[in-house]
Amino acid sequence: MSRFLNGKEASALLAQLLSDRVYAYDNSSTAHLAQTNIWDQSVQIIELDSLNDPLSQVVTSIAERHVTTALLSSQSLLAAIPYLYKLANDQSSTVLHVAADHPSSASSFADFTQVMAVRQSGLAFLSASTVQEAYDLTLVAQWVSLLTATPFLHFFDSKRISHEYASIQTLDSETLLNFIPKELVDVTFKNKTVPALFKQSAYLRYKASVEKEKNEEGEAIKDEELDVFTAFEKVTEELAKVTGRKYAPLEYVGHSEADFVIISMGAGATVVEQTLKSLTQRDPELKVGALKIRLYRPWSDQALLNSLPSTVQRIAVLEPADDYTSTWNPLFLDVVATYQSAGKENIGIVSGQYGVRSEDFTPKYVQAVVNGLVDDNLSRQFEVSTLPIDSTKLQVVPQATEQVIFVGSSSLALKLANGQSGKKYAQVYVAGSATHARLADLESGPLLPSLIQSADAVVLSSVHLNEQDEKAAVEAIGSLVPNGYIITEGDGFSLSAGIKKAAHQAQANIVSVEDIHLIFKNSSLSDVLKHGKFSSIRAPDSWADEQAFSFTEDAASPDVKKTEATVPVEEPYLKMLDQVFGSRLVIANASKASSIWSPNNTQPNSASPEFGYGRLVNQVQERTRLVDYVMDVVRDGSLPLDIVKFLSQWLLQANSPRSKVQKVHEASDLVVNALTSIANEVPAAQTILDKKDFLYTKSNWLIGSDTWAYDFGQSGIQHVITSGDNMNLLIVDTQPYSSEVEREQRKKDIGLYAMNYGSVYVASVALYASYTGVLQALMEADAYQGPSIVLAYLPQLSSENNPVACLKETKICVDNGSWPLYRWNPTLEELGQEIFVLDSQRIKKQLEDFLARENYLTQLISKQPELSNALVSSLESDVQKRHAELKQKARADYARLLSGMNSSNGPPLTVLFGSDNGNAEGVAKKIATRAKAKGLKVKLMAMDDYGDVQELANETNLVIICSTAGQGELPSNAREFWKALNGLIVGDINIQDLRYTVFGMGDSHYWPREEDSIFYNRPGKLLDAKLENLGATRLVALALGDDQDEDGFETGLSAWQSEFWKALGIKDIGEGDEEPAYTDNQMKIDSNYLRGNIAQELVDDSTGGVTEITQKLMKFHGAYVQDDRDIREERKKQGLEKAFSFLVRVRTPGGVSTSEQWLMMDELSEKYGNSTLKLTTRQAYQLHGILKRNLRTTIRKINKVLLSTLAACGDVNRNIMSTAVTEIPEVHEQVQSLVLNLKDALAPTTNAYHEIWLDNSMVAGHAVQDFEPLYGPSYLPRKFKVVVAVPPSNDVDVYAHDLGYVAIVDKDAKKVVGYNVLIGGGMGQTHGNKKTYPRPATLIGYIPAEAAVKIAEATILTQRDHGDRINRKHARFKYTIDDLGVDFIKKEIEERSGVKFEEPKPFYFDNNSDCYGWSKGVGDTWNFTMFIENGRVKDTPEFLCKTGLRELAKFHKGGFRLSPNQHLVISNIPETDLEKTKAHLSKYKLDNTPFSGIRKSAMACVALPTCGLAMAESERYLPELVTKFEDFMEEAGLCDDSIVVRMTGCPNGCARPYLAEIAFVGKAPLTYNMYLGGSAKGERLNKLYRENLKEEDILKEVGPLIKQYALERNEDESFGDWVIRAGYIKRTITGKDFHDL
């Protein structure tokens, strides 16, 4: 099958057919791919969005046994180095397709530098030289990777092949399936487990390999490299049988007895091959040949030697690589090493570079190389573009080939090529404004991948070209063959003067056509010229006098050869430092010396580490002084606020050890830009600018030689190491160690010396052994916060710079272990990873002894007490150490207290838990209680409270109960324990006598996608596997509790407990031994009508929080205990308790309050709160940040203005809502009267509230007996919500509540005559638990207005007596109704109230949003509804909302109504105050109604940082997201239209998201479920549309939906109605079908 594709598309096409998952940086090549592979399975195509951590997802996908492919840019390879090693180490069957980018846009060929930099990573490397090869080798790489369990890196030129379109032959799925059947994939990959060896530490793997070598002495060991070669040859033979295309690992073409050979790879190899064919056809006696390298790694010396004629005398190795790290290029070094190893040192080998600084690599350059080989006048290293060019022209392109250059429109060239599909072999390549196209006979095969030098025609898209196109046209015309054609649309005489002159010089024929796009659609160039309807003229002589086109020449390519100047030995490493760190690099010593071995005579000490250390210390001090100065400037307030903001951001980044360099630099740039504008007026700004270099983070390096190792004390290395300062040492060792004598005479080992300190980063690297290792070591050293030493090997056998000798010596020393390659990174210990990584196969004896000891303490220091600098601790360190000791002692005392050691004589049992929501902690307490009852010595604590993981060695029996947080994360009180445990390797701790069991708790449907299944109970699985790996013995196998089971996690817990107690030898334990669960229902009964221990705990100043039971009871009093989650982790690290504070919710019936009440709430928020006032979705005030010591005072003052917090929360009826602004103003007062009556009838009557908060008497026990006629001592099973809606406004969302009244109004009488009654609404659900669901309320009938209170009381009593008091997730009134039936509940209400329901009266809602702006009130009063985004009343520099409302309340005679949508109504403004009020609103920008429709109808809950249930942001994020939605609305012409958008941080539904047209419900940080299809009137539930969306995903979903809605909607059709009609989701009828997608 013939197709016209570019190289990127060709490889992507086949990669998708042969994979389960395809990861790609650029989705342009994957956007139109089919979504199934050859095994008829769905394929996920995932776009990678940055170069950071490029292959982490790939590694994870492979571990999950998905056939995985990645489409990468070579720019990503350096960042991917750790993952490349892991892929090789794990023997992963995967293929990375890499387009080798060129840093300059000028060259049409690649730069292989970055590909070559990772060639030692252990992957197989495969190079394609044509578009057809890019396709075929994609198949070959995948096939061989599966057969050999070897990861492949398949690379090709990013421009010449990746962007070149060509006619290629593709394979159908049936053929591909014959090559790679599903059975092969299953056997070689899917069913294959990772060998246990790879789970061991680097040191144990090394020891295992040594033992293996000893055991296999004398045996024939299979050569792994040959396995890849053999498999490659086998696979390509099979491919050739079907396609006729044969590919050899190394392919030679040319004379069988060639004297001269050119070795190359990539697209350049095709140029070499086709040029040599032309040369030998012209001169058959010319003994030349070309070797094309396809399989570059594994490298085989023998394969290279076998591929080349034995007669070869001279070899030129051509590479498109300008390697900054070496004098010589990689392929050249490989070839040289092969011939040196074979003892064939008489072969002349030279290194040539092409495409680095030249635009093209053409046959004339190849001819120049051949001439140089024949004449033996090539330099050892040269650039092909500098060689003398032979004027003799070569015919490399087949004779019948049409060559056309298109200028101004690449689409014309593609039309020409596509029109000839199946008839001709086509090639199209875009080079700037010019597009080069060739058409040849089908049998001609791949065409020359060079720019056209002799064009048959130049096609101009128009006679009027811009300057860039005109320049390209002149250059293209210069390449025309004699009598060639210039084809253009329109009158040729209208061409520019420059093009006319060029046309005359080329003696071209000018062809003018009418429709240039049409003529190339189905015709070749010859067809156009033969049969086209056009006018043609020869360029007139008059054009010779035209003005030549003038333009500025680009910098020309260098035309001189490289001079081989003598460079310092360390130069390659210095180049690498410069390449990696650029402008950040600071080399503090030997800055003016010609080499570190020959320091500056005028400054003889400038090369020493003390000199450099002094310079760096000075720079650190200077920066510290700058930081102090900036802090002083920020504090004194002399600078503008915006400048202070930038400086504060910089201070935050500069002072944080975890800040990324990029963030510091971004902050620094902002500071410099901001200060520059005021430097002339503000001296402080100029002072900072004078020191601006110190704003930026530098990479500080000292460069030293091996002479430093003779005496650590004299050289100053010891001083630098023990200083603890953040600086890096690069020490270059040039001593050969290949002989035993040399090894015995070696200097002191700096690496071992440094590693003994434990807090120094150490790496041993060798440039000629592993480029990748050097790069990674430099980056890790720079990132390490402390002293770093990189030992760099560069052996010198003579005074001459002999790279071959250096290469050989390096290989020997690495091979025999005298120069081992390793990295020692103390940071990894904190991350639970291996601290030591061995990058070579052998290590020297001293290093082996060091590792075998596994002792990271300072043994050397103990033998040398004179190193006092390392032994003196700082006061801060002593304090921290003492603090840790006291904490450990306290934990031990607490554990002994819990264990009841004095009364227990059974076996010891330690119970640890990790719990965020309390469930895991509850299970752990249950286990501990039962064990203690049976006489076991029990210790119970959170995992992070377990002082030292090393103490596990002293435990006997261990139980871990752990829940799952976020995306498979450890709970917040278990993460430090896991880090410490995961940081251990076998041998660090002896826990062979420890018996353990783990019970994990999670939800198998929380992350429902198949690829997310790894998150299910991941913490439990990790803990279990780690303990097993460290040698502990399982008591009972890992057990997993699943919230999806019939009884939730209890199902798994019950089965696990039975086995657990048996394993402990306690066989008679049963349910009767267990204390009954302490339920919330029992808690309420025991609380003595909501008293509990609240009063006592309020005066306990040892903590800012309260106990769990008191937390629950305080909700009834309107207070929630919270903590600031933004700083939770940081406080935990500091050993501090959470930043506890209280949310105080104020019951505000109907949202109505007075100006006096507003002023009090404002005052309290400023004095005791966080200076903001929250208007809630239940028309209540909410204060945040109230400290426990201020709680009683706050509540007392709230009551002083006749408001209350009682029953604002808790298992009672909460704040009653009503429509804020009624269509008929007089109706509002009537509805408000009902609300107040309901409030009084449904409020708790306990005296506890008055006693605790208002009377100062601390009541406990049962000294006072209350009576609750409505609720009883156990109150309701769960919270209860009542609302009153007045049509046509449904701002209260009447369908979302337990009890709803819809007012039926006699409009003529302006009177409420009765109410329709709705029951059973509710918003809450639990992610992944389909037994929980939101439910729309059910309309059950009509009642007269005077019966409303009786119906409310009867409804409450029905729920009180029939609601579920066992399972709180099933305790809401909606579940009671669905369990017992609407008819039963309706009958109960009628019997209890004595009121008979009538048939419902008709009513109509037109929206559920607020009506902003002015509206008429009762009499001569007015109301103004103002927009307050998400109900947060606060001041900002741009909007003094809080101040404005405070000043308004001081003179406003009316009221303040809180709307159900979190906005504010300034109500009952007298006519006499109207103009004054308007002026005030205008002054403070409070008359802010011109917002977009979508913003005005958006609503979010509080969520982070204070809500303990929040899983994601909501209030702080939704405004930002809506701004992006506004762009979509504007583009679609819907600026003024409303779409109801709501967001919550968890699924509990506080912002009533399930009634919104678009809703986002938090699932995890930055991750949301998306719901569609709610009614714009609040009458219908929405339905789940997409899960687990990040912002980018949200925008990709919402943007097209809005655009399509704008195009397809019917008149007055809302968005929610349209998505149902358009088929995006199904309509939700009841709560029970909410989960039916």
Side-chain angles (χ1 to χ4, degrees), residues 1081 1084-1085 1089 1211-1213 1241-1242 1267-1280 1298 1351-1366 1371-1374 1376-1377 1380 1384-1385 1388-1389 1392:
N1081 199 55
K1084 287 178 279 188
I1085 295 173
Y1089 295 94
D1211 296 342
V1212 290
N1213 174 66
L1242 305 182
F1267 176 63
E1268 288 281 12
L1270 182 65
Y1271 293 111
S1274 59
Y1275 295 86
L1276 295 180
R1278 282 295 299 273
K1279 59 188 173 185
F1280 199 89
D1298 298 281
I1351 290 295
E1353 291 175 331
T1355 305
I1356 294 271
L1357 289 170
T1358 301
Q1359 167 64 354
R1360 183 195 70 181
D1361 295 342
H1362 293 284
D1364 189 342
R1365 292 184 179 270
I1366 304 299
R1372 286 295 299 272
F1373 191 35
K1374 59 183 176 181
T1376 307
I1377 294 173
L1380 300 176
F1384 175 86
I1385 299 296
E1388 281 285 307
I1389 296 172
R1392 291 172 186 260

Side-chain angles (χ1 to χ4, degrees), residues 63 71 95 134 176 298 403-404 412 501 654 772 844 879 887 981 1102 1172 1432 1468 1478 1531 1589 1630:
L71 309 175
V95 182
L176 293 172
Q403 300 188 93
V404 185
L412 287 174
K501 187 173 184 66
T772 306
K844 58 189 176 185
V879 170
K887 284 178 66 178
L981 183 68
S1102 65
T1172 71
R1432 184 66 64 177
N1468 300 325
K1478 285 183 177 181
E1531 291 173 5
L1589 300 182
T1630 67

Side-chain angles (χ1 to χ4, degrees), residues 690-748:
D690 290 341
K691 299 286 186 180
K692 65 181 181 181
D693 286 346
F694 294 104
L695 293 171
Y696 298 89
T697 300
K698 301 295 184 181
S699 183
N700 299 317
W701 288 86
L702 301 175
I703 311 298
S705 70
D706 48 3
T707 58
W708 288 8
Y710 286 107
D711 190 322
F712 294 150
Q714 288 296 320
S715 69
I717 287 181
Q718 176 263 329
H719 186 68
V720 174
I721 290 176
T722 58
S723 71
D725 290 323
N726 185 17
M727 59 183 63
N728 311 298
L729 279 75
L730 175 68
I731 299 176
V732 183
D733 195 333
T734 60
Q735 179 66 40
Y737 298 118
S738 56
S739 72
E740 187 174 346
V741 174
E742 290 168 331
R743 289 196 294 273
E744 290 178 352
Q745 293 177 348
R746 73 180 298 157
K747 301 167 284 294
K748 294 179 181 179

Side-chain angles (χ1 to χ4, degrees), residues 276-313:
L276 292 191
K277 284 182 180 180
S278 179
L279 286 172
T280 53
Q281 287 173 1
R282 191 179 67 180
D283 181 7
E285 299 301 319
L286 183 62
K287 294 184 177 182
V288 295
L291 183 69
K292 182 186 296 184
I293 306 294
R294 286 199 181 92
L295 187 57
Y296 178 53
R297 285 289 186 273
W299 181 262
S300 171
D301 289 353
Q302 196 59 47
L304 177 70
L305 295 173
N306 291 343
S307 300
L308 295 177
S310 59
T311 56
V312 67
Q313 298 176 22

Side-chain angles (χ1 to χ4, degrees), residues 592-620:
K592 295 182 179 180
S594 60
S595 170
I596 54 176
W597 280 269
S598 55
N600 182 11
N601 292 329
T602 62
Q603 292 180 287
N605 295 323
S606 66
S608 70
E610 293 97 333
F611 177 86
Y613 176 66
R615 288 187 64 190
L616 294 180
V617 167
N618 175 258
Q619 292 186 20
V620 170

Side-chain angles (χ1 to χ4, degrees), residues 914-935:
S915 178
D916 273 339
N917 61 9
N919 286 339
E921 182 177 0
V923 171
K925 289 179 178 177
K926 179 178 178 181
I927 297 296
T929 301
R930 297 182 69 178
K932 190 174 180 180
K934 286 300 179 181

